[in-house]
Amino acid sequence: GTMCPSFMVTREEIHSTRGRARLLFEMMSGLLQDGGWRDRSVKESLDLCLSCKGCKGDCPVSVDMASYKAEFLSHYYHGRIRPRQAYALGLVPLWARLGSKAPGVTNAVLSAPVLGRALKLAAGVAPRRSAPMLGSPTFREWFAGHEAAAGPPVLLWPDTFTNYFTPEIGIAAVQVLEQAGCSVRLPDRATLCCGRPLFDYGMLPTAKRWLKAILEELRDDIAAGTPVVGLEPSCVAVFRDELEIGRASCR
């Protein structure tokens, strides 16, 4: 019952999963007037796609419009400057890491009436939206001073949002896992990110590099069968999608 949120609002065929799939088919067949990956009608059709993957779950043939949108935007913006939101929100792990060096100052600036509004406008964010506040200490900083419990090893994935913005969720997860008798570990490399926001803006080459770094870091744990626990559903969805792609390529 989720397909498709944007179509439910506009009720326009161009924003339905069927309409978008038809436009993509016509684009690939060379039937559209503009043609190719720079076609404006296809871009307009995909603009309101929320990448919620409701179509993948509800559609009888599992049409994954979110993945199609990411691929289209990757080609559409190839060699071109993207909208400022892509750099402000798509690269949020970099800005969060920078802001965490002085979280108090960062939070004060973002919540300041004039300066905060100016920064939101520069990032392409609605001024009435409240900026998320950075947590202090970060989840990784808290975990560095935490004494690990004994038990079977579990690798907890410290996603960007849990680590920098809601460390209390990560702390609670550690407590739950340890109460279950597990010994919790985090990846040694502190700059890893699944790159989920990158997909919304078609920044696939960067996302590929980030995912490759994750595989290199987790290779031994995956090979050893160590369970990996994720806290952010969108991050877990990225890992699940990559696993499905890997399995399909091996067939």
Side-chain angles (χ1 to χ4, degrees), residues 95-197:
W95 307 128
R97 190 186 316 153
L98 181 63
S100 68
K101 303 298 182 183
V105 175
T106 303
N107 290 339
V109 169
L110 289 175
S111 58
V114 177
L115 189 54
R117 180 183 177 88
L119 288 175
K120 292 172 190 176
L121 289 173
V125 177
R128 290 188 296 176
R129 293 284 302 192
S130 58
M133 296 290 102
L134 291 165
S136 181
T138 66
F139 173 51
R140 275 191 169 274
E141 289 172 344
W142 173 87
F143 191 84
H146 175 71
E147 184 176 350
V154 169
L155 193 67
L156 182 61
W157 179 255
D159 62 88
T160 295
F161 300 97
T162 297
N163 185 48
Y164 293 110
F165 298 104
T166 55
E168 65 276 7
I169 294 178
I171 295 171
V174 171
Q175 294 170 346
V176 169
L177 289 169
E178 289 184 343
Q179 285 292 323
C182 299
S183 177
V184 181
R185 292 178 41 240
L186 302 186
D188 292 333
R189 186 171 172 180
T191 57
L192 297 174
C193 177
C194 73
R196 175 61 187 86

Side-chain angles (χ1 to χ4, degrees), residues 6-73:
S6 53
F7 173 70
M8 290 179 183
V9 174
T10 67
R11 311 306 295 182
E12 296 181 10
E13 180 70 10
I14 193 175
H15 296 136
S16 69
T17 301
R18 176 179 57 198
R20 288 169 176 148
R22 181 65 188 178
L23 277 174
L24 287 169
F25 171 78
E26 292 179 355
M27 180 196 76
M28 298 301 294
S29 302
L31 301 176
L32 298 182
Q33 183 176 358
D34 293 339
W37 292 100
R38 299 284 173 89
D39 193 278
R40 291 294 304 174
S41 60
V42 180
K43 173 67 165 52
E44 178 186 352
S45 174
L46 293 172
D47 267 345
L48 292 184
C49 172
L50 304 179
S51 299
C52 69
K53 290 185 178 288
C55 51
K56 187 176 181 181
D58 286 359
C59 179
V61 293
S62 299
V63 172
D64 188 355
M65 195 55 63
S67 295
Y68 297 160
K69 177 184 179 180
E71 184 69 25
F72 174 80
L73 292 179

